[in-house]
Coordinates of all heavy atoms in Angstrom, one line a residue:
M1 N 13.5 -8.4 102.6 CA 14.5 -9.0 101.7 C 15.8 -8.3 101.9 O 15.8 -7.1 101.8 CB 14.0 -9.0 100.3 CG 14.6 -9.8 99.3 SD 14.2 -11.6 99.3 CE 12.5 -11.6 98.9
K2 N 16.8 -9.1 102.0 CA 18.2 -8.4 102.2 C 19.3 -9.3 101.7 O 19.1 -10.5 101.4 CB 18.4 -8.1 103.7 CG 18.5 -9.4 104.5 CD 18.8 -9.0 106.0 CE 19.0 -10.3 106.8 NZ 19.4 -9.9 108.2
W3 N 20.4 -8.7 101.4 CA 21.7 -9.3 101.1 C 22.4 -9.5 102.4 O 22.4 -8.6 103.3 CB 22.6 -8.4 100.2 CG 22.0 -8.1 98.9 CD1 21.5 -6.9 98.5 CD2 22.1 -8.9 97.7 NE1 21.1 -6.9 97.2 CE2 21.6 -8.1 96.7 CE3 22.6 -10.1 97.4 CZ2 21.5 -8.6 95.4 CZ3 22.5 -10.6 96.1 CH2 22.0 -9.9 95.1
Y4 N 23.0 -10.7 102.6 CA 23.8 -10.9 103.8 C 24.9 -12.0 103.5 O 24.9 -12.6 102.4 CB 22.9 -11.4 104.9 CG 22.1 -12.6 104.6 CD1 22.5 -13.9 104.9 CD2 20.8 -12.5 104.0 CE1 21.8 -15.0 104.6 CE2 20.1 -13.6 103.6 CZ 20.6 -14.8 103.9 OH 19.8 -16.0 103.6
T5 N 25.8 -12.1 104.4 CA 26.9 -13.1 104.2 C 26.7 -14.3 105.1 O 26.2 -14.1 106.3 CB 28.3 -12.6 104.4 OG1 28.3 -11.8 105.6 CG2 28.7 -11.6 103.3
Q6 N 27.0 -15.5 104.7 CA 27.0 -16.7 105.5 C 28.3 -16.6 106.2 O 29.2 -15.9 106.0 CB 26.9 -17.9 104.7 CG 25.6 -18.1 104.0 CD 25.6 -19.4 103.3 OE1 24.5 -20.0 103.2 NE2 26.6 -20.0 102.6
D7 N 28.5 -17.6 107.2 CA 29.7 -17.7 108.0 C 30.9 -18.0 107.1 O 32.0 -17.6 107.4 CB 29.6 -18.9 109.0 CG 28.7 -18.4 110.2 OD1 28.4 -17.3 110.3 OD2 28.2 -19.4 110.8
D8 N 30.7 -18.6 105.9 CA 31.8 -19.0 105.0 C 32.1 -17.8 104.0 O 33.0 -17.9 103.2 CB 31.5 -20.2 104.2 CG 30.3 -20.1 103.3 OD1 29.6 -19.0 103.2 OD2 29.9 -21.1 102.6
G9 N 31.4 -16.7 104.2 CA 31.7 -15.5 103.4 C 30.8 -15.3 102.1 O 30.9 -14.4 101.4
L10 N 30.1 -16.4 101.7 CA 29.3 -16.4 100.5 C 28.1 -15.4 100.7 O 27.5 -15.4 101.8 CB 28.8 -17.7 100.2 CG 29.8 -18.7 99.7 CD1 29.2 -20.1 99.4 CD2 30.5 -18.2 98.4
I11 N 27.8 -14.6 99.7 CA 26.7 -13.6 99.7 C 25.4 -14.3 99.4 O 25.4 -15.1 98.4 CB 27.0 -12.5 98.8 CG1 28.3 -11.8 99.2 CG2 25.8 -11.5 98.7 CD1 28.7 -10.7 98.2
C12 N 24.4 -14.0 100.2 CA 23.1 -14.6 100.0 C 22.1 -13.4 99.8 O 22.3 -12.3 100.3 CB 22.7 -15.4 101.2 SG 23.8 -16.7 101.6
L13 N 21.0 -13.8 99.2 CA 19.8 -12.9 99.2 C 18.6 -13.7 99.8 O 18.4 -14.8 99.3 CB 19.5 -12.4 97.8 CG 18.5 -11.3 97.6 CD1 18.8 -10.4 96.5 CD2 17.1 -11.9 97.4
G14 N 17.9 -13.1 100.7 CA 16.8 -13.8 101.3 C 16.0 -13.0 102.3 O 16.3 -11.9 102.5
T15 N 15.1 -13.7 103.0 CA 14.3 -13.2 104.0 C 14.7 -13.7 105.3 O 15.4 -14.7 105.4 CB 12.8 -13.5 103.7 OG1 12.7 -15.0 103.7 CG2 12.3 -12.9 102.4
D16 N 14.2 -13.1 106.4 CA 14.4 -13.6 107.7 C 13.6 -15.0 107.8 O 12.4 -15.1 107.5 CB 13.8 -12.6 108.7 CG 13.9 -13.0 110.1 OD1 14.2 -14.1 110.4 OD2 13.7 -12.1 111.0
C17 N 14.3 -15.9 108.2 CA 13.7 -17.3 108.3 C 12.5 -17.4 109.2 O 11.8 -18.4 109.1 CB 14.8 -18.4 108.6 SG 15.5 -18.2 110.2
S18 N 12.3 -16.4 110.0 CA 11.2 -16.5 110.9 C 9.9 -15.9 110.3 O 8.8 -16.1 110.8 CB 11.5 -15.7 112.2 OG 11.6 -14.3 111.9
K19 N 10.0 -15.4 109.1 CA 8.9 -14.8 108.3 C 8.2 -16.0 107.6 O 8.8 -17.0 107.3 CB 9.3 -13.8 107.4 CG 10.1 -12.7 108.0 CD 9.4 -11.4 107.8 CE 10.3 -10.4 108.5 NZ 10.0 -9.2 108.6
L20 N 6.9 -15.8 107.3 CA 6.2 -16.8 106.5 C 6.7 -17.0 105.2 O 6.8 -18.2 104.7 CB 4.7 -16.4 106.5 CG 3.9 -16.5 107.8 CD1 2.5 -16.0 107.6 CD2 3.9 -18.0 108.3
A21 N 7.0 -16.0 104.4 CA 7.5 -16.1 103.1 C 9.1 -16.2 103.1 O 9.8 -15.3 102.9 CB 7.1 -14.9 102.3
N22 N 9.5 -17.4 103.3 CA 10.9 -17.7 103.4 C 11.5 -17.9 102.0 O 11.0 -18.6 101.2 CB 11.2 -19.0 104.2 CG 12.6 -19.1 104.6 OD1 13.4 -18.3 104.5 ND2 13.0 -20.3 105.1
F23 N 12.6 -17.1 101.7 CA 13.3 -17.1 100.4 C 14.7 -17.0 100.7 O 15.2 -16.2 101.5 CB 12.7 -16.0 99.5 CG 13.4 -16.0 98.1 CD1 12.8 -16.7 97.2 CD2 14.5 -15.2 97.9 CE1 13.4 -16.7 95.9 CE2 15.0 -15.2 96.6 CZ 14.5 -15.9 95.6
H24 N 15.5 -17.9 100.0 CA 17.0 -17.9 100.3 C 17.7 -18.4 99.0 O 17.5 -19.5 98.5 CB 17.2 -18.8 101.4 CG 18.7 -19.0 101.8 ND1 19.4 -18.1 102.5 CD2 19.5 -20.1 101.6 CE1 20.6 -18.6 102.7 NE2 20.7 -19.8 102.1
V25 N 18.7 -17.5 98.6 CA 19.6 -18.0 97.4 C 21.0 -17.7 97.9 O 21.3 -16.6 98.3 CB 19.2 -17.1 96.1 CG1 20.2 -17.4 95.1 CG2 17.8 -17.5 95.6
V26 N 21.8 -18.7 97.7 CA 23.3 -18.5 98.0 C 24.0 -18.3 96.7 O 23.8 -19.1 95.8 CB 23.8 -19.8 98.7 CG1 25.3 -19.6 99.0 CG2 23.1 -20.1 100.0
T27 N 24.8 -17.3 96.6 CA 25.5 -17.0 95.3 C 26.9 -17.6 95.4 O 27.3 -18.2 96.5 CB 25.7 -15.5 95.1 OG1 26.6 -15.0 96.1 CG2 24.3 -14.8 95.2
D28 N 27.7 -17.6 94.4 CA 29.0 -18.1 94.5 C 30.0 -16.9 94.6 O 31.2 -17.0 94.5 CB 29.4 -18.9 93.2 CG 29.4 -18.1 91.9 OD1 29.2 -16.9 91.9 OD2 29.5 -18.7 90.8
V29 N 29.5 -15.7 95.1 CA 30.3 -14.6 95.3 C 30.7 -14.5 96.8 O 29.8 -14.6 97.7 CB 29.5 -13.3 94.9 CG1 30.3 -12.0 95.2 CG2 28.9 -13.4 93.5
K30 N 32.0 -14.4 97.0 CA 32.5 -14.4 98.4 C 32.9 -12.9 98.8 O 33.6 -12.2 98.0 CB 33.7 -15.2 98.5 CG 34.0 -15.7 99.9 CD 35.0 -16.9 99.9 CE 34.5 -17.8 101.0 NZ 35.4 -18.9 101.1
A31 N 32.4 -12.5 99.9 CA 32.6 -11.1 100.4 C 33.9 -11.1 101.3 O 34.1 -12.1 101.9 CB 31.4 -10.6 101.2
K32 N 34.6 -10.0 101.2 CA 35.7 -9.8 102.1 C 35.3 -9.3 103.4 O 36.1 -9.4 104.4 CB 36.7 -8.8 101.4 CG 37.3 -9.3 100.2 CD 38.3 -8.3 99.6 CE 38.9 -8.8 98.3 NZ 39.9 -8.0 97.8
S33 N 34.1 -8.8 103.6 CA 33.6 -8.3 104.9 C 32.2 -8.7 105.0 O 31.5 -9.0 104.0 CB 33.9 -6.8 105.1 OG 33.2 -6.1 104.1
K34 N 31.6 -8.6 106.2 CA 30.2 -8.9 106.4 C 29.3 -8.0 105.6 O 29.5 -6.8 105.6 CB 29.8 -8.9 107.9 CG 30.3 -10.0 108.7 CD 29.2 -11.0 108.9 CE 29.6 -12.1 109.8 NZ 28.8 -13.3 109.5
I35 N 28.2 -8.5 105.1 CA 27.2 -7.7 104.4 C 25.9 -8.0 105.1 O 25.5 -9.1 105.3 CB 27.1 -8.1 102.9 CG1 28.5 -7.7 102.2 CG2 25.9 -7.4 102.2 CD1 28.6 -8.2 100.8
D36 N 25.1 -6.9 105.3 CA 23.8 -7.0 105.8 C 23.0 -5.8 105.4 O 23.0 -4.8 106.1 CB 23.8 -7.1 107.4 CG 22.4 -7.5 107.9 OD1 21.4 -7.6 107.1 OD2 22.4 -7.6 109.2
T37 N 22.5 -5.8 104.2 CA 21.8 -4.6 103.6 C 20.5 -5.0 102.9 O 20.4 -6.1 102.3 CB 22.8 -3.9 102.7 OG1 22.2 -2.7 102.2 CG2 23.1 -4.7 101.5
L38 N 19.6 -4.1 103.0 CA 18.3 -4.3 102.3 C 18.5 -4.3 100.8 O 19.3 -3.6 100.3 CB 17.3 -3.3 102.8 CG 16.9 -3.3 104.2 CD1 15.9 -2.1 104.5 CD2 16.2 -4.6 104.5
V39 N 17.6 -5.0 100.1 CA 17.6 -5.1 98.7 C 16.9 -3.7 98.2 O 15.8 -3.4 98.7 CB 16.8 -6.3 98.2 CG1 16.6 -6.2 96.7 CG2 17.5 -7.6 98.6
S40 N 17.6 -3.0 97.3 CA 17.1 -1.8 96.9 C 16.4 -1.9 95.5 O 16.4 -3.0 94.9 CB 18.3 -0.8 96.7 OG 19.0 -1.1 95.6
E41 N 15.7 -0.8 95.1 CA 15.1 -0.8 93.7 C 16.1 -1.1 92.6 O 15.8 -1.8 91.7 CB 14.3 0.4 93.5 CG 13.1 0.6 94.4 CD 12.3 1.9 94.1 OE1 12.5 2.5 93.0 OE2 11.6 2.3 95.0
S42 N 17.3 -0.6 92.8 CA 18.3 -0.8 91.7 C 18.8 -2.2 91.7 O 19.1 -2.8 90.6 CB 19.5 0.2 91.9 OG 20.1 0.0 93.2
H43 N 18.8 -2.9 92.9 CA 19.1 -4.4 92.9 C 18.1 -5.1 92.1 O 18.4 -6.0 91.3 CB 19.2 -4.9 94.3 CG 20.3 -4.3 95.1 ND1 20.2 -4.2 96.5 CD2 21.5 -3.7 94.8 CE1 21.3 -3.6 97.0 NE2 22.1 -3.3 96.0
I44 N 16.8 -4.8 92.4 CA 15.7 -5.5 91.8 C 15.7 -5.2 90.3 O 15.5 -6.1 89.5 CB 14.3 -5.1 92.4 CG1 14.3 -5.6 93.9 CG2 13.1 -5.6 91.6 CD1 13.1 -5.1 94.7
A45 N 16.0 -4.0 89.9 CA 16.0 -3.7 88.5 C 17.1 -4.5 87.8 O 16.8 -5.0 86.6 CB 16.3 -2.2 88.3
L46 N 18.3 -4.7 88.4 CA 19.3 -5.4 87.7 C 19.0 -6.9 87.7 O 19.3 -7.6 86.7 CB 20.7 -5.2 88.4 CG 21.8 -5.9 87.8 CD1 22.1 -5.3 86.4 CD2 23.1 -5.8 88.6
I47 N 18.4 -7.4 88.7 CA 17.9 -8.8 88.8 C 16.9 -9.1 87.6 O 17.0 -10.1 87.0 CB 17.3 -9.2 90.1 CG1 18.5 -9.2 91.2 CG2 16.6 -10.6 90.0 CD1 18.0 -9.3 92.6
G48 N 16.1 -8.1 87.4 CA 15.2 -8.2 86.1 C 13.8 -8.8 86.4 O 13.1 -9.0 85.4
S49 N 13.5 -9.0 87.6 CA 12.1 -9.4 87.9 C 11.7 -9.0 89.3 O 12.6 -8.8 90.1 CB 11.9 -10.9 87.7 OG 12.7 -11.7 88.6
F50 N 10.5 -9.0 89.6 CA 10.0 -8.6 90.9 C 10.1 -9.7 91.9 O 9.8 -10.9 91.5 CB 8.6 -8.0 90.8 CG 8.5 -6.8 90.0 CD1 7.9 -6.7 88.8 CD2 9.0 -5.6 90.5 CE1 7.9 -5.6 88.0 CE2 8.9 -4.4 89.8 CZ 8.3 -4.4 88.5
P51 N 10.3 -9.4 93.2 CA 10.4 -10.5 94.2 C 9.2 -11.4 94.3 O 9.4 -12.6 94.5 CB 10.5 -9.7 95.5 CG 11.3 -8.4 95.1 CD 10.6 -8.1 93.7
E52 N 8.1 -10.9 94.0 CA 6.9 -11.8 94.0 C 6.9 -12.8 92.9 O 6.2 -13.8 93.0 CB 5.6 -11.0 94.0 CG 5.4 -10.1 92.8 CD 5.9 -8.7 93.1 OE1 6.7 -8.4 94.0 OE2 5.5 -7.8 92.3
D53 N 7.7 -12.6 91.9 CA 7.8 -13.6 90.8 C 9.0 -14.5 90.9 O 9.1 -15.5 90.1 CB 7.9 -12.8 89.5 CG 6.8 -12.0 89.2 OD1 5.6 -12.3 89.6 OD2 7.0 -10.9 88.6
W54 N 9.9 -14.3 91.9 CA 11.1 -15.1 92.0 C 10.9 -16.6 92.2 O 11.6 -17.4 91.7 CB 12.0 -14.5 93.1 CG 12.5 -13.1 92.7 CD1 12.4 -12.5 91.5 CD2 13.3 -12.3 93.6 NE1 13.0 -11.3 91.6 CE2 13.6 -11.1 92.8 CE3 13.7 -12.4 94.9 CZ2 14.3 -10.1 93.4 CZ3 14.5 -11.3 95.4 CH2 14.8 -10.2 94.6
R55 N 9.9 -16.9 93.0 CA 9.7 -18.4 93.3 C 9.3 -19.2 92.0 O 9.6 -20.4 91.9 CB 8.6 -18.6 94.3 CG 9.0 -18.2 95.7 CD 8.0 -18.8 96.7 NE 8.4 -18.4 98.0 CZ 9.3 -19.0 98.8 NH1 9.9 -20.0 98.4 NH2 9.6 -18.5 100.0
S56 N 8.7 -18.5 91.0 CA 8.4 -19.2 89.8 C 9.4 -19.0 88.6 O 9.3 -19.6 87.5 CB 7.0 -18.8 89.3 OG 6.9 -17.4 89.0
D57 N 10.4 -18.2 88.8 CA 11.4 -17.9 87.9 C 12.5 -18.9 87.9 O 13.3 -19.0 88.9 CB 12.0 -16.4 88.1 CG 13.0 -16.0 87.1 OD1 13.5 -16.8 86.3 OD2 13.2 -14.8 87.0
K58 N 12.6 -19.8 86.9 CA 13.6 -20.9 86.8 C 15.0 -20.4 86.7 O 16.0 -21.1 87.1 CB 13.3 -21.8 85.7 CG 11.9 -22.5 85.9 CD 11.7 -23.5 84.8 CE 10.4 -24.2 84.7 NZ 9.7 -24.4 85.9
L59 N 15.2 -19.1 86.4 CA 16.6 -18.6 86.2 C 16.9 -17.6 87.4 O 18.0 -16.9 87.3 CB 16.7 -17.9 84.9 CG 16.5 -18.7 83.6 CD1 16.5 -17.8 82.4 CD2 17.5 -19.8 83.5
I60 N 16.2 -17.6 88.4 CA 16.3 -16.5 89.5 C 17.7 -16.7 90.1 O 18.4 -15.7 90.5 CB 15.2 -16.5 90.4 CG1 15.3 -15.2 91.3 CG2 15.1 -17.7 91.4 CD1 15.2 -13.9 90.4
A61 N 18.2 -17.9 90.4 CA 19.5 -18.1 91.1 C 20.6 -17.4 90.3 O 21.4 -16.7 90.9 CB 19.7 -19.5 91.4
Q62 N 20.6 -17.7 89.0 CA 21.6 -17.1 88.1 C 21.5 -15.6 88.0 O 22.5 -14.8 88.1 CB 21.6 -17.6 86.7 CG 22.7 -17.2 85.8 CD 24.1 -17.6 86.4 OE1 24.3 -18.7 86.9 NE2 25.0 -16.7 86.4
K63 N 20.3 -15.0 88.0 CA 20.1 -13.6 87.9 C 20.5 -12.9 89.3 O 21.2 -11.9 89.2 CB 18.5 -13.3 87.8 CG 18.0 -13.7 86.4 CD 16.5 -13.3 86.3 CE 15.9 -13.7 85.0 NZ 14.4 -13.5 85.0
I64 N 20.3 -13.5 90.4 CA 20.7 -13.0 91.7 C 22.2 -13.1 91.7 O 22.9 -12.2 92.2 CB 20.0 -13.8 92.8 CG1 18.5 -13.3 92.8 CG2 20.7 -13.5 94.1 CD1 17.7 -14.1 93.8
N65 N 22.8 -14.2 91.3 CA 24.2 -14.4 91.3 C 24.9 -13.3 90.5 O 25.9 -12.7 90.9 CB 24.6 -15.8 90.8 CG 26.0 -16.2 91.2 OD1 26.3 -16.4 92.3 ND2 26.9 -16.3 90.2
N66 N 24.4 -13.0 89.3 CA 24.9 -12.0 88.5 C 24.8 -10.6 89.1 O 25.7 -9.7 89.0 CB 24.2 -11.9 87.1 CG 24.6 -13.1 86.3 OD1 25.5 -13.8 86.5 ND2 23.7 -13.4 85.3
A67 N 23.7 -10.3 89.8 CA 23.5 -9.0 90.5 C 24.5 -8.9 91.6 O 25.0 -7.9 91.8 CB 22.1 -8.9 91.0
A68 N 24.7 -10.0 92.4 CA 25.7 -10.0 93.5 C 27.1 -9.7 92.9 O 27.8 -8.9 93.5 CB 25.7 -11.3 94.2
K69 N 27.5 -10.3 91.8 CA 28.8 -10.0 91.2 C 28.9 -8.5 90.8 O 29.9 -7.8 91.1 CB 29.0 -10.8 90.0 CG 29.3 -12.3 90.3 CD 29.4 -13.1 89.0 CE 29.7 -14.5 89.4 NZ 29.8 -15.4 88.2
H70 N 27.8 -7.9 90.3 CA 27.8 -6.5 89.9 C 27.9 -5.6 91.1 O 28.7 -4.7 91.1 CB 26.5 -6.2 89.1 CG 26.4 -4.8 88.7 ND1 27.1 -4.2 87.7 CD2 25.7 -3.8 89.3 CE1 26.7 -2.9 87.6 NE2 25.9 -2.6 88.6
F71 N 27.1 -5.8 92.1 CA 27.0 -4.9 93.2 C 28.1 -5.1 94.3 O 28.4 -4.2 95.0 CB 25.6 -4.9 93.9 CG 24.5 -4.3 93.1 CD1 23.6 -5.0 92.4 CD2 24.5 -2.9 93.0 CE1 22.6 -4.4 91.6 CE2 23.5 -2.3 92.2 CZ 22.6 -3.0 91.6
F72 N 28.6 -6.3 94.4 CA 29.5 -6.6 95.5 C 30.9 -7.0 95.0 O 31.6 -7.7 95.7 CB 29.0 -7.6 96.4 CG 27.7 -7.3 97.0 CD1 26.5 -7.8 96.6 CD2 27.6 -6.3 98.0 CE1 25.2 -7.4 97.1 CE2 26.4 -5.9 98.5 CZ 25.2 -6.4 98.1
G73 N 31.3 -6.5 93.8 CA 32.7 -6.6 93.4 C 33.0 -7.8 92.5 O 33.7 -8.7 92.9
L74 N 32.5 -7.7 91.3 CA 32.8 -8.7 90.3 C 34.3 -8.9 90.2 O 34.8 -10.1 90.1 CB 32.3 -8.3 89.0 CG 32.5 -9.2 87.8 CD1 32.0 -10.6 88.0 CD2 32.0 -8.6 86.5
S75 N 35.1 -7.8 90.1 CA 36.6 -8.0 89.9 C 37.3 -8.7 91.1 O 38.2 -9.4 90.9 CB 37.2 -6.6 89.7 OG 37.0 -5.8 90.9
D76 N 36.7 -8.6 92.3 CA 37.3 -9.3 93.4 C 37.0 -10.8 93.4 O 37.6 -11.6 94.1 CB 36.8 -8.7 94.7 CG 37.2 -7.3 94.9 OD1 38.3 -6.9 94.3 OD2 36.6 -6.6 95.7
N77 N 36.0 -11.2 92.6 CA 35.6 -12.6 92.6 C 36.0 -13.4 91.4 O 35.6 -14.6 91.2 CB 34.0 -12.6 92.7 CG 33.6 -12.0 94.1 OD1 33.9 -12.6 95.1 ND2 33.0 -10.9 94.1
L78 N 36.7 -12.8 90.5 CA 37.2 -13.5 89.3 C 38.7 -13.8 89.4 O 39.4 -12.9 89.9 CB 36.9 -12.6 88.0 CG 35.5 -12.4 87.6 CD1 35.5 -11.5 86.4 CD2 34.8 -13.7 87.3
K79 N 39.1 -14.9 88.9 CA 40.5 -15.3 88.9 C 40.9 -15.0 87.5 O 40.4 -15.5 86.5 CB 40.7 -16.7 89.3 CG 40.4 -17.1 90.7 CD 40.8 -18.5 90.9 CE 40.8 -18.8 92.4 NZ 39.6 -18.8 93.1
V80 N 42.0 -14.2 87.3 CA 42.4 -13.8 86.0 C 43.8 -14.5 85.8 O 44.7 -14.3 86.6 CB 42.6 -12.3 85.8 CG1 43.1 -11.9 84.5 CG2 41.2 -11.6 86.1
D81 N 44.0 -15.2 84.8 CA 45.3 -15.8 84.5 C 46.2 -14.8 83.8 O 45.8 -14.0 83.0 CB 45.1 -17.0 83.5 CG 44.3 -18.1 84.1 OD1 44.4 -18.3 85.3 OD2 43.6 -18.8 83.3
A82 N 47.4 -14.8 84.3 CA 48.4 -13.9 83.7 C 48.8 -14.3 82.3 O 48.8 -15.5 82.0 CB 49.7 -13.9 84.6
V83 N 48.9 -13.3 81.4 CA 49.3 -13.5 80.0 C 50.7 -13.3 79.9 O 51.3 -12.2 80.2 CB 48.4 -12.7 79.1 CG1 48.9 -12.9 77.6 CG2 46.9 -12.9 79.3
A84 N 51.5 -14.2 79.3 CA 52.9 -14.1 79.2 C 53.3 -13.3 77.9 O 52.6 -13.1 77.0 CB 53.6 -15.4 79.1

């Protein structure tokens, strides 16, 4: 299981598509550079459930999206309106 970027820069979490247990979530977090890193215990802890439970977790896409924002630059992915 790893974090990686698609060609459009969006960060994904998933497995190698050639493996039997195929898993893939696309977040709405855009990276400024390529990411290709294994999922760590701290990533799993922040997501809040174990990978073997993700297929049955109805909120897993949002949990993964929140983790991506935390680990890969939440501030870079938010648009802040200027206050006059």
Side-chain angles (χ1 to χ4, degrees):
M1 192 77 63
K2 66 180 183 173
W3 296 100
Y4 57 94
T5 49
Q6 294 187 140
D7 291 339
D8 61 3
L10 291 176
I11 297 174
C12 304
L13 187 145
T15 59
D16 181 342
C17 63
S18 65
K19 305 239 178 183
L20 288 175
N22 192 13
F23 182 83
H24 175 77
V25 171
V26 179
T27 70
D28 63 8
V29 181
K30 202 164 218 179
K32 292 183 178 181
S33 60
K34 284 261 185 207
I35 294 172
D36 188 1
T37 187
L38 293 176
V39 173
S40 70
E41 288 182 24
S42 60
H43 296 151
I44 292 170
L46 185 64
I47 290 169
S49 63
F50 294 106
E52 57 268 20
D53 299 327
W54 291 354
R55 287 196 184 275
S56 61
D57 187 338
K58 294 185 186 325
L59 301 175
I60 196 59
Q62 186 59 44
K63 290 177 182 178
I64 289 172
N65 199 66
N66 291 342
K69 286 178 182 178
H70 175 81
F71 285 108
F72 301 107
L74 175 63
S75 61
D76 292 340
N77 294 293
L78 291 177
K79 291 184 169 63
V80 179
D81 294 328
V83 177

